[in-house]
Amino acid sequence: MSNCCGGSKKIDKKAMCPECQGEYKLVLLDTLLHQLASPHNQSIKEQSFYFCSSPECNIVYFGSAGDCYNVEQVRSPVGQKQTVASRLICYCFDISVQAASDDLNKNGASEIKEFVKAQTQAKRCACEIRNPSGKCCLVDFPN
Ligand SMILES: [Zn+2]
């Protein structure tokens, strides 16, 4: 199949991780620029990148052209790749999974989650770059 105009190249919203074969979502280039440690952030080749959230897999980002970045090539530990309770769930406000579930158990309703929700609604968060997934953390909260 030829693509004479070269224009509108279709970008898949999801792709399969070459390591664990799971299907994962597209992330912005901005997310990689922020998350990758130097010098890896200086040589990102143009392609679509996806975030693998499997704790069993070493790959953090994989690209449509085959470039991959693993847990050793990012700036800080990726909570989604860890299983300890102290792993981060919210990267904008440094909230751990432990803190979120303690709060839920103690108060019956999650005050921390409400706080994060309020900040998100007020657009006072930066999930696109702070969360390795590039997505809002609210979906990951226990409830
Ligand atoms: Zn994977």
Side-chain angles (χ1 to χ4, degrees):
M1 231 180 10
S2 71
N3 186 3
C4 66
C5 310
S8 57
K9 222 201 274 162
K10 195 180 165 289
I11 293 172
D12 292 321
K13 293 256 186 286
K14 282 183 176 179
M16 201 171 76
C17 174
E19 190 82 15
C20 68
Q21 321 291 313
E23 206 178 44
Y24 299 101
K25 286 185 192 147
L26 185 70
V27 291
L28 298 171
L29 178 62
D30 276 355
T31 311
L32 269 81
L33 287 172
H34 183 85
Q35 298 286 333
L36 295 185
S38 188
H40 308 293
N41 59 344
Q42 296 163 22
S43 55
I44 305 171
K45 295 203 195 87
E46 205 181 316
Q47 62 202 285
S48 315
F49 281 98
Y50 302 84
F51 172 70
C52 171
S53 60
S54 168
E56 261 108 70
C57 182
N58 225 23
I59 303 282
V60 180
Y61 300 108
F62 59 92
S64 54
D67 288 339
C68 291
Y69 296 100
N70 65 32
V71 289
E72 268 115 61
Q73 295 169 314
V74 290
R75 291 170 62 200
S76 43
V78 176
Q80 288 92 333
K81 295 285 179 194
Q82 301 175 309
T83 50
V84 290
S86 58
R87 69 187 185 276
L88 280 185
I89 187 169
C90 168
Y91 296 81
C92 293
F93 307 109
D94 292 338
I95 298 161
S96 69
V97 170
Q98 183 76 67
S101 57
D102 281 356
D103 173 53
L104 187 63
N105 293 338
K106 235 176 279 164
N107 303 313
S110 178
E111 282 174 24
I112 292 178
K113 188 177 178 181
E114 287 310 312
F115 163 77
V116 175
K117 206 183 273 177
Q119 298 296 312
T120 306
Q121 279 161 358
K123 302 211 184 315
R124 301 191 72 87
C125 62
C127 312
E128 294 85 3
I129 55 167
R130 295 191 73 135
N131 192 331
S133 75
K135 303 277 185 297
C136 178
C137 66
L138 282 171
V139 292
D140 302 323
F141 268 72
N143 49 88

